[in-house]
Amino acid sequence: QVELAESGGGFVQAGDSLRVSCTAFGRPFSDSDMGWFRQAPGKEREFVGAINWSSSSWWLADSVKGRSNIARDHAKNTVYQQLDTLKPEDTAVYYCVEEAFGTWRNVESWKFWGQGTQVTVST
């Protein structure tokens, strides 16, 4: 069984930077694609970014492209999503995901989900 533990959320000001982290437990970390989704109040869960097992391929949503980066550290079994120039519309619960069986941007493609970490951006 896989367990995903997110951290790094918090309350920040618009324009600040923040990095959310996700550590995976329970299976070889290097075998799986990993990524992030987010869900704002009253909205559907949306794709943020994903990275393949070898870090040779990654994809960022248009909403964060140019001000975000995704990376993984195999030694720490951890994937990171760096968010810069944060905006109030980035406010959401950020969910870590692992093991995709389809298109990364689709919620239904991912097998394992973390509990989420709250990011709140104030004006």
Side-chain angles (χ1 to χ4, degrees):
Q1 184 64 26
V2 171
E3 180 180 345
L4 302 174
E6 300 105 331
S7 61
F11 187 93
V12 297
Q13 301 288 325
D16 285 351
S17 296
L18 181 145
R19 187 179 73 170
V20 288
S21 304
C22 172
T23 300
F25 303 90
R27 62 170 287 161
F29 177 74
S30 60
D31 289 351
S32 302
D33 300 340
M34 296 196 72
W36 292 90
F37 281 73
R38 67 185 182 186
Q39 187 166 21
K43 294 188 176 181
E44 294 185 353
R45 203 164 288 192
E46 67 168 354
F47 173 78
V48 179
I51 187 167
N52 74 340
W53 65 275
S54 66
S55 301
S56 62
S57 177
W58 61 92
W59 188 16
L60 298 171
D62 289 344
S63 58
V64 300
K65 198 172 293 182
R67 59 186 185 93
S68 183
N69 186 38
I70 187 169
R72 62 194 296 170
D73 184 335
H74 287 267
K76 297 181 179 179
N77 282 6
T78 299
V79 63
Y80 306 96
Q81 183 86 44
Q82 175 75 30
L83 299 163
D84 299 321
T85 320
L86 282 160
K87 307 173 184 180
E89 50 263 44
D90 293 318
T91 296
V93 177
Y94 283 72
Y95 295 93
C96 177
V97 291
E98 184 178 358
E99 193 167 345
F101 295 94
T103 304
W104 282 352
R105 67 175 181 269
N106 294 340
V107 169
E108 59 270 21
S109 294
W110 295 89
K111 184 175 182 179
F112 299 108
W113 290 74
Q115 295 297 309
T117 185
Q118 176 71 46
V119 173
T120 303
V121 184
S122 67
T123 56

